[in-house]
Structure formats: C-alpha cells, structure tokens
Amino acid sequence: MINDASLLVQPDEYGLLTDLYQLTMAACYVGEGLDQRRASFELFVRRLPEGFGYLIAAGLASALDYLEKFQFTPEQLAALQATDIFTGATAEFWHLLASGRFCGDVWAVPEGTAIFANEPILRVEAPLWQAQIVETYLLNAINYQTLIATRAARLRDVAGPEAKLLEFGTRRAFSPQASLWAARAALAGGLDATSNVLAALKLGRKPVGTMAHALVMAITALEGSETDSFEAFHRYFPGAALLIDTYDTVAAAQRLGKKMPEALAGVRLDSGDLVTLSQQVRQELPEVPIFASGDLDEQEIWRLRQAGACIDGYGLGTKLVTGSPVNGVYKLTDIDGIPVMKESSGKFTYPGRKQIFRSASGDRLGLATESAPTDAEELLIPVMRHGQRLEHVETLDTIRTRASQSVAQLPETVRDVSHPEVPQAEISTALQTLTDCTRRSQLATVS
Amino acid sequence: MINDASLLVQPDEYGLLTDLYQLTMAACYVGEGLDQRRASFELFVRRLPEGFGYLIAAGLASALDYLEKFQFTPEQLAALQATDIFTGATAEFWHLLASGRFCGDVWAVPEGTAIFANEPILRVEAPLWQAQIVETYLLNAINYQTLIATRAARLRDVAGPEAKLLEFGTRRAFSPQASLWAARAALAGGLDATSNVLAALKLGRKPVGTMAHALVMAITALEGSETDSFEAFHRYFPGAALLIDTYDTVAAAQRLGKKMPEALAGVRLDSGDLVTLSQQVRQELPEVPIFASGDLDEQEIWRLRQAGACIDGYGLGTKLVTGSPVNGVYKLTDIDGIPVMKESSGKFTYPGRKQIFRSASGDRLGLATESAPTDAEELLIPVMRHGQRLEHVETLDTIRTRASQSVAQLPETVRDVSHPEVPQAEISTALQTLTDCTRRSQLATVS
C-alpha cells in the first residue's frame, strides 16, 4: 500500500479515497441493519464565495467517472482490517465493501449551468452505506471544478468575447492533478486554452504558450543581447508571443519595432504598471497583440480595461487556480421516505428531495415531487440510474456554450465581479411546509 | 492520449506535465546549439504569504521522484508532433526528448527546515534544456507542500504540544491528489493524523475520524432519537468521538452525561460559539476530550485559547488545504559560469549559485563558493548527482522532528501568526559585489 513519494492516485483506489468516518459510519449502518435503507443526499453551497454572484456548476464528469469505478480490492480491505479500527465491524460489512459497486441513482445540474446558494448541484439516491461513503470524493470533485469554472466565466465576462484568455496556473496549482482539473474547468468556463501540455493533450486541445525570462537571460548572456534572444525564439516559433519585460520593457518594444523583420504574433508583459506600459508598447508596435500576465484576476482585468490599458489577451495563473474554495456540502435530506434536516447553529439545511425550477422571474427551490411552474425549467436531471450512466459524456464545447449562455442570462448586477447582487431562490410553499413540519417532528424526537 | 474524466496522472506522464513554453524554449535551445550548456536555476519565494513569518520547506521527496521518472514515451512525442506547434524544431530536439532522462545535480534544503524570502529551497544544475523543462513540476510540488507544512507548523505552534491536530481537508482539497499531498505535508509539518484513508495507508499511518451529522440524522429518523444514534455508533467504535451539535449541543451533552454507560473517547463541536459551548460541555462531561472543527485556522485557534475555550483537539480542513498559495519561483541564476539576474520591475533576482549560511545570529545569503562563516550551517545540501538520488527518502517522523525544532529556534516575534516579524537574510559581501557587477554587465549588453 505504501506508494511513491508523488502520491499519485490510481483508478482502483477510488474506494479508499474517502474520510475514515464514512467507512466507520457505513459499518455502523450495517451493524444496525440500516445499510440498505434508501438515502437521498444533496450537494449544495450554503453561501457563495465572497464577491461571487453565481456559480457555474462543474465536475460532474469526474463525479460520474468515480461512481462508475468505485470499488475496494481484496488488498485494500486487508489493509483496512490491519488498522485495528474496525474490530467492531461485522463480516457483512466486509462482504458489502468487497462486492459493492455503486448502484444508486444520481440527479444533477448539467456542467456549465449557473446556480446559486442552497440549490442542489447533485443528488445521490442510494443505499445508505454507499451514499455515505461517496460523499468525500463527490465534494472534492464538484467543489474545485465549480470554483475554477466560475472564475473562468467571470474572467470571460469582464475581459469581453474578443480577449484571448489563457490558463497558465500549473506551477501554482495544488498538485499535478489539480492543474489538470483546473485546465479542464477553465476551458469549460470560458478560457480559450491552457499551457499545460498533458492537460491539453488529454482534453484533445492544442496547448499554448509564449516564452519565459530564462530564455531571454540565457541567450542574452551567451549570445550578447536581448534582441538575439527574440530573434532566436522567433526563428523556431514565429507564432509565439515574445516576453519583453526582462530588462526594460519600452526599450525592448522600441528595438522590436525597428529591427524585427517579420510580423510578430504578440508580446507579453509580466510586470510593472500594465496600463502605462501597454499604452507605450502599443505606440511602438501598433499592429502587435499585447498579452499581460502576473497575478491577474477578474477585478484587476476590470480595472485595467477601465483605465484604458491596451491589452488583447491575458495569462491567468495563481489567482485562477488557488485561493478560497467553493464550500460545497453534502447533506442527508431524506432517509427511507422520511425527510430530515440539520438544525446546527448557522448550518440549517432544507429537508426533502428537491428540484430547482428556473424561469424568467428567477429560481424557485421546491420538492422533486412538485409540478414545475408554467414556463419553468427543471435544472436537476437524471444522469445515473442503478449505477449506470444515462448520457454520453458532454464535450467541453457543449459545457462552455452552456456556461456562456448561463452568464448572459444573468442580470448585470449579479455579474458584477466586485460587489454583486446575490440572488436567493424563492422557497416553494410545499418545501416551506415540509421544512416547518420536519422541524416540529424532529423537535419531538431528538431527545 | 485522451483519458477518463478524472484526469488521473500516470507515472509515465511526467515529461508532459509542464507548460508548453518549456518545450518550445528547449527546442529553441537545441536549434541554437545551447541545449547542453550548464544552467543553474534556483527555486525560492520573493515574499512570504501575508501573515507568515517563515516557511517550512516541503515537497522535496515528490520533486526527486519526478526527476527520477522524468521521460517522454514515443506515443507522447508523436502526440506533441501532431500538434503542429513544433514544425520549426530540429530532429535533434526529438532525439533529446526521446533519450533524455534527467541527468543533473540538485541541491536542496531538507524538508522540515524553516526558510525565508529569497533563500533557495532547491537548486538544479543541469543541461539547459532539462533544467528548463522541469521548472513547472518542481514549482507545483514545492509550492503546495511547503504551504501546507508551514500551516501545519503554525497550527501546532499555537495549539500547543498536547493538542490533537487532525487533518480533515479532503472534501475541500483541490483534487484527490491535492488531498494526498496535503495529508503528507500536514503530518510533516506537525499534525497528528489524517482522516484521508488512502493517504494514511499510503503513508503507513492509521487514519482517524469521528462521525458525521448524516449518521445522527439517519438514526434519529429511523430509530427515534439522537441518543440512539450515539449509542449505536459507540457500540461499534467506542474509541471514536461523538458529534453532538446536530440539534442542541448542550442538551446532547447533558443526556450523554446522564445516560452514556461507558467512558467516552470524545465529543466534537462543529458549529456555534465554540468558547461558550465548549465550556458548557466541559461542565456536563468533565472527563471527556472535546474536539472542535468548522473553518478553523491558526488565528482562530489562538483566539479560542485566549478566550478560555475548553478544547483538546482540532479538526483542520478548508483553511488548511486551500487558500492563497506560496508563490515560489524558479529562476536562472547562472549559465555556463556566467551569473545572470532578472531586473523586471518588482521582480528583481540575485545572480549566481547561492548558499544559505544559518547561524545563531541569523541567515546570510551568499555564494555557493564562499566559505561558511564560523558556527554557520550550510542549509543547501546535495540530494541528487548526475540524476541519481544521493540519500534515502526521509521518513515523515524525521521531517516532522526537524520542523518542530526549526520552529522552536525562531524568535517569538517571527512565530506570531497574525503580525509576525519577517526576517530577511543578510546578503554577503561577495553576493552583493556579484549583483552589482552583473547589473552593470547586463546593462551593457541587453540592447
């Protein structure tokens, strides 16, 4: 079981990719004879991240891939038994883990859809023990990819449809796999391309890139001048932008304007006052696209555009792929037909199996058993039944188009990237009634 | 090349796990005949993250694992060629990629060592093309693991040596692999255990956990009361803490004080005013360890302790494994014996191959060729020569002990988790002289 130092995840390790308490709770359910009870869990956020008016759902493809492959190998079960944690567990528990593939149903909002607080992105209906164990991975998959797709959609929205938006975050992403997930979700949310070669090839895309300071410094030192470095790189990669801020940005642009024989595909600025520098570079190289990079985010791009910066494309890294997370949670809402809710201070949840009804007048959060209001769309659709995927995997282009249309339909006040209005779904009468009733019922029985 | 939706990374994909520009620059170096020139790159941070007085280096084991496995398969090279990006590249470039395993030397600060701004955590000396391509992965590995190890060390420092500190971040980590890296680095930095089952087993540790609200809600609904849920879980896992905040924390503690037959291993609070609630729970259950969780970080733990909370252990998740990154960079400092430096606005770097000299009076950043001052320790040690690892992999316990000793040796002002003093290494006379000289030399040649 002890692996190499890079802690790569293998496809047959999905069962163990969970918090210990999911397994101990499953063992308790088995011991109590409750493991096959039908449970509904819903995945949603209580609050959007600070400064966000909406989220773009993403990560469903990974979640379904996980559920299809979920299993425990005999070696893994032996390793669990060797921990001495499960001495109270029954033989039936080990049998369930050994035999159990995920056999539940899943409803989900399609990737690329805008969603809001308290709206389920996904619902799992499955035997209690299974629905419990899969919580950790499902949250891991949806939380991060939704964050990145949302940031990408916001970036696209402030940068405008013509801007080139490039994902450059691999060096700052939180592990290699995070860099791949970030690349996929960024493309799904509205970015144009990624510099991550492995991600691009896995996703069937062409990777992109410019050049780095190291090349300028190495060739300047070895061959004599910054201009030598530009000419050398341009010789092999005439389609790539040149990085011109290693020593003196404006001087470099002036020299390029005088000496560069062929048309330049672009220049990149990675430091300094991007407003002034981009205007000066535009003066020197009026026909050349200007790319900017260096800790940029949607607020900074908004500021640059307001200030009249002459920038045609942006490299997005650190502030796209790291930072505060989407804090999705996964809560039991119904067990064997009994609606349940959490009443912890500040962490209240709505009971019951829910549906999101979206119409021109806004979202209504209701029960899955309610009829949709006239003209309303039901956002949660079945995506897996009895552990079998119901639809083909959507392409990134499909998801990206949906994300773009989702954002375009939102009010400008919700799309504001600094101080957005934060929509709250209306609660249907049926859901409100169930909530009141469940609270009274729980009050009577908790003691 | 197109993979499943979970975008798992396989060990033979390390070569492609890089930014495109590393490969295009390598092709340019080959075309210019510069690819075999000896390059030194150093990995360091320009500034510590906000509120941090030190970093605890981590991630070297992953970095070395990567360098040992770095390669390109024939299929991967075919996929690169099919992108049409490299039409200007020479046959020699493809030959190099096909045949090239990493053959350079690496110096590094051992994992668990406290380091500061501008101090190299790692230096790569290798043929220019190789040293260039490995940048992306090395930064990915060191940046994240250093962040987590540092946060873990800060958490241990404020929580005290007796507190139980448990890593619960998997559901919020940025991809499954991030959760494994976070678990390893958290243990290296000073936490006691992780709830991530796969991580624990890969690291040879015992996973830990309590219970979740879902179990309380499910058994309360199916069997009649919260007490039933506690008794059921305790029956199978008497060593696990019970989660008592699902409905009414103090009432739950009172009932446990009256009815629980056996000694309780602990209770967990996950919401509400943790100061008041923990004091009330201590009144009801004076002998029972109290665990707290819910968006905790080192500042909040400091506040809880100052306010007299009765908490014996902490579950750390979201604010341990996500957030603002360590922004390490990897910069060319010497090419074929010629020292180089970047002079971009706000992104100045020191030239030359460096060494960190640590003594009781503080750190001095000097040249690798300088003699160590009396009583000073040289922090950068050789860890790989000609692509071969020089030392055995260190155990987590070794690294953790080093981290603990590193922190203990720092002044209290540097260990402050809110407004620390931020030490700056003294620059040696030789390094300052080289810096001035390099700047003059570059000024003369960049144009």
Side-chain angles (χ1 to χ4, degrees):
Chain A
M1 187 61 57
I2 296 191
N3 203 320
D4 64 67
S6 292
L7 297 172
L8 298 172
V9 178
Q10 298 304 321
D12 68 353
E13 296 177 324
Y14 277 159
L16 294 183
L17 237 170
T18 193
D19 291 297
L20 177 70
Y21 74 8
Q22 314 287 12
L23 296 177
T24 56
M25 290 190 288
C28 176
Y29 297 145
V30 176
E32 296 292 289
L34 307 176
D35 51 291
Q36 298 301 321
R37 300 296 182 101
R38 182 85 172 170
S40 292
F41 281 82
E42 290 179 351
L43 193 161
F44 60 96
V45 301
R46 291 201 184 89
R47 278 173 297 280
L48 302 185
E50 184 70 26
F52 282 41
Y54 60 91
L55 293 177
I56 297 296
L60 178 61
S62 314
L64 295 178
D65 180 70
Y66 160 77
L67 292 172
E68 285 184 324
K69 292 178 181 162
F70 174 81
Q71 63 154 350
F72 296 88
T73 66
E75 296 71 31
Q76 291 166 353
L77 296 181
L80 283 178
Q81 287 166 340
T83 62
D84 279 343
I85 294 169
F86 296 90
T87 48
T90 59
E92 196 190 342
F93 170 67
W94 298 110
H95 174 74
L96 265 186
L97 292 193
S99 64
R101 305 293 291 226
F102 180 77
C103 65
D105 301 343
V106 180
W107 278 254
V109 166
E111 292 189 272
T113 307
I115 50 110
F116 306 96
N118 293 315
E119 298 183 351
I121 300 175
L122 177 144
R123 179 172 64 249
V124 171
E125 300 189 16
L128 177 56
W129 77 276
Q130 287 185 2
Q132 184 74 67
I133 293 176
V134 301
E135 170 178 22
T136 306
Y137 192 103
L138 294 181
L139 284 169
N140 182 290
I142 304 282
N143 278 333
Y144 185 51
Q145 294 181 67
T146 296
L147 172 70
I148 301 302
T150 306
R151 289 229 192 96
R154 288 158 54 93
L155 286 161
R156 171 58 66 200
D157 203 23
V158 294
E162 304 302 325
K164 283 280 173 207
L165 298 181
L166 311 177
E167 191 278 305
F168 284 174
T170 301
R171 66 193 57 198
R172 297 281 162 73
F174 290 174
S175 81
Q177 193 185 17
S179 74
L180 301 189
W181 281 24
R184 178 186 181 275
L187 296 175
L191 265 59
D192 292 301
T194 177
S195 65
N196 186 309
V197 180
L198 184 61
L201 296 181
K202 280 180 183 282
L203 296 167
R205 301 293 181 112
K206 190 167 169 171
V208 293
T210 63
M211 66 192 291
H213 297 104
L215 183 137
V216 177
M217 293 159 74
I219 295 186
T220 300
L222 294 171
E223 298 193 343
S225 79
E226 188 181 32
T227 302
D228 291 327
S229 74
F230 294 153
E231 289 177 353
F233 196 67
H234 192 68
R235 198 172 306 138
Y236 306 98
F237 300 98
L242 302 176
L243 176 61
I244 62 172
D245 75 331
T246 307
Y247 306 107
D248 181 325
T249 304
V250 177
Q254 284 170 340
R255 285 193 303 273
L256 280 174
K258 284 181 200 149
K259 291 183 66 176
M260 207 69 191
E262 283 184 62
L264 261 182
V267 294
R268 176 162 73 98
L269 313 178
D270 187 48
S271 57
D273 173 356
L274 293 175
V275 174
T276 307
L277 286 175
S278 68
Q279 291 167 342
Q280 292 173 311
V281 170
R282 174 66 27 101
Q283 288 272 17
E284 303 296 334
L285 300 167
E287 307 293 322
V288 177
I290 299 173
F291 292 84
S293 58
D295 269 352
L296 301 179
D297 61 11
E298 45 269 47
Q299 281 139 28
E300 181 63 9
I301 290 178
W302 189 88
R303 190 192 70 78
L304 288 169
R305 295 195 64 173
Q306 293 295 311
C310 301
I311 299 173
D312 306 288
Y314 300 88
L316 291 319
T318 307
K319 291 193 172 167
L320 172 61
V321 306
T322 73
S324 297
V326 165
N327 284 331
V329 295
Y330 176 89
K331 293 296 163 191
L332 182 68
T333 63
D334 184 290
I335 178 76
D336 245 7
I338 307 170
V340 297
M341 60 193 284
K342 187 171 156 184
E343 300 181 54
S344 315
S345 168
K347 295 189 176 180
F348 164 87
T349 61
Y350 288 102
R353 299 168 57 251
K354 289 176 281 297
Q355 178 58 274
I356 310 162
F357 302 106
R358 175 160 297 173
S359 66
S361 61
D363 285 1
R364 178 184 296 177
L365 189 61
L367 295 173
T369 48
E370 288 185 58
S371 303
T374 316
D375 301 329
E377 181 190 4
E378 300 188 348
L379 293 191
L380 285 158
I381 61 172
V383 293
M384 184 172 262
R385 183 155 294 152
H386 307 318
Q388 300 295 313
R389 193 189 289 255
L390 293 178
E391 310 206 14
H392 288 296
V393 177
E394 293 192 312
T395 67
L396 274 182
D397 288 334
T398 300
I399 299 168
R400 183 190 159 125
T401 301
R402 187 181 293 121
S404 168
Q405 291 170 346
S406 288
V407 173
Q409 287 164 12
L410 297 174
E412 287 292 336
T413 50
V414 173
R415 290 158 65 178
D416 185 290
V417 293
S418 294
H419 304 287
E421 183 191 333
V422 182
Q424 293 286 340
E426 175 198 345
I427 304 301
S428 80
T429 307
L431 177 54
Q432 191 57 58
T433 302
L434 183 74
T435 303
D436 297 340
C437 178
T438 303
R439 186 184 279 118
R440 281 197 302 275
S441 156
Q442 288 189 171
L443 259 180
T445 63
V446 292
S447 60
Chain B
M1 188 60 59
I2 296 189
N3 203 319
D4 63 68
S6 292
L7 297 172
L8 298 172
V9 178
Q10 299 304 322
D12 68 353
E13 296 178 325
Y14 277 158
L16 294 183
L17 239 170
T18 193
D19 291 298
L20 178 69
Y21 74 8
Q22 314 288 12
L23 296 177
T24 56
M25 289 190 288
C28 177
Y29 297 145
V30 175
E32 295 293 290
L34 307 176
D35 51 289
Q36 299 301 322
R37 300 297 182 100
R38 183 85 172 170
S40 292
F41 282 82
E42 290 179 349
L43 194 161
F44 60 95
V45 301
R46 291 201 184 86
R47 278 173 297 279
L48 302 185
E50 185 70 28
F52 283 42
Y54 60 91
L55 293 176
I56 296 296
L60 179 61
S62 315
L64 295 178
D65 180 69
Y66 160 78
L67 292 173
E68 285 184 322
K69 293 178 180 161
F70 174 81
Q71 63 154 350
F72 295 89
T73 67
E75 298 71 30
Q76 290 167 352
L77 296 182
L80 283 179
Q81 286 166 342
T83 62
D84 280 344
I85 294 168
F86 295 90
T87 48
T90 59
E92 196 191 341
F93 169 68
W94 299 110
H95 175 74
L96 263 188
L97 292 193
S99 64
R101 306 292 292 226
F102 179 77
C103 66
D105 301 343
V106 181
W107 278 254
V109 166
E111 292 190 272
T113 307
I115 50 110
F116 305 97
N118 293 316
E119 299 184 350
I121 300 175
L122 178 143
R123 179 172 64 248
V124 171
E125 299 190 16
L128 177 57
W129 76 277
Q130 288 185 0
Q132 184 74 66
I133 293 177
V134 300
E135 169 178 23
T136 305
Y137 192 103
L138 294 181
L139 284 169
N140 182 290
I142 303 282
N143 278 333
Y144 185 51
Q145 293 182 67
T146 296
L147 173 70
I148 300 303
T150 306
R151 289 228 192 97
R154 288 158 54 92
L155 286 161
R156 171 57 66 200
D157 203 24
V158 292
E162 302 303 324
K164 282 277 174 209
L165 298 181
L166 311 176
E167 191 278 304
F168 284 174
T170 302
R171 65 193 56 199
R172 298 282 162 73
F174 289 174
S175 82
Q177 194 185 16
S179 74
L180 301 189
W181 281 24
R184 179 186 181 274
L187 296 176
L191 266 60
D192 291 302
T194 176
S195 65
N196 186 310
V197 180
L198 185 60
L201 295 181
K202 280 179 184 283
L203 296 167
R205 300 295 180 112
K206 191 167 169 170
V208 292
T210 63
M211 66 192 291
H213 298 103
L215 183 138
V216 177
M217 293 159 75
I219 295 186
T220 300
L222 294 171
E223 299 192 343
S225 78
E226 189 182 31
T227 302
D228 292 327
S229 74
F230 293 153
E231 289 176 354
F233 196 68
H234 192 68
R235 198 172 305 139
Y236 305 98
F237 300 98
L242 301 176
L243 176 61
I244 63 171
D245 75 331
T246 307
Y247 306 107
D248 181 325
T249 303
V250 177
Q254 284 170 340
R255 287 194 302 275
L256 280 175
K258 285 180 198 147
K259 289 183 67 175
M260 209 66 192
E262 284 183 60
L264 261 182
V267 294
R268 176 162 73 100
L269 314 177
D270 188 48
S271 58
D273 173 357
L274 293 175
V275 175
T276 307
L277 285 174
S278 68
Q279 290 167 344
Q280 292 173 310
V281 170
R282 173 68 24 107
Q283 288 272 16
E284 304 295 334
L285 300 167
E287 305 295 322
V288 176
I290 299 173
F291 290 84
S293 58
D295 269 351
L296 301 179
D297 62 10
E298 47 268 46
Q299 280 139 30
E300 180 63 10
I301 290 177
W302 189 88
R303 190 192 70 78
L304 288 169
R305 296 195 64 174
Q306 294 294 311
C310 301
I311 299 174
D312 306 289
Y314 300 88
L316 291 318
T318 306
K319 292 192 174 170
L320 171 61
V321 306
T322 73
S324 296
V326 165
N327 284 331
V329 296
Y330 176 89
K331 293 296 164 193
L332 182 68
T333 62
D334 184 290
I335 178 77
D336 244 7
I338 306 170
V340 297
M341 60 192 283
K342 188 170 154 185
E343 299 181 53
S344 314
S345 168
K347 296 189 175 180
F348 164 87
T349 61
Y350 287 102
R353 300 167 58 252
K354 291 177 279 297
Q355 178 58 275
I356 309 162
F357 302 106
R358 176 160 295 173
S359 65
S361 60
D363 285 0
R364 179 184 296 178
L365 189 61
L367 294 173
T369 48
E370 288 183 58
S371 303
T374 317
D375 300 329
E377 181 190 6
E378 301 189 349
L379 293 191
L380 286 158
I381 60 171
V383 293
M384 184 172 262
R385 183 154 295 153
H386 308 318
Q388 300 295 313
R389 193 189 287 256
L390 293 179
E391 309 207 15
H392 288 296
V393 177
E394 292 192 313
T395 67
L396 275 182
D397 288 334
T398 299
I399 299 168
R400 183 190 159 124
T401 300
R402 186 181 294 121
S404 167
Q405 291 170 346
S406 288
V407 173
Q409 286 164 11
L410 297 173
E412 287 292 335
T413 50
V414 173
R415 290 158 65 177
D416 185 291
V417 293
S418 295
H419 303 287
E421 183 191 332
V422 182
Q424 294 286 342
E426 175 196 346
I427 304 301
S428 78
T429 307
L431 177 55
Q432 192 56 57
T433 302
L434 183 74
T435 303
D436 297 341
C437 177
T438 303
R439 186 184 278 118
R440 280 196 302 274
S441 157
Q442 288 188 170
L443 260 181
T445 63
V446 293
S447 59

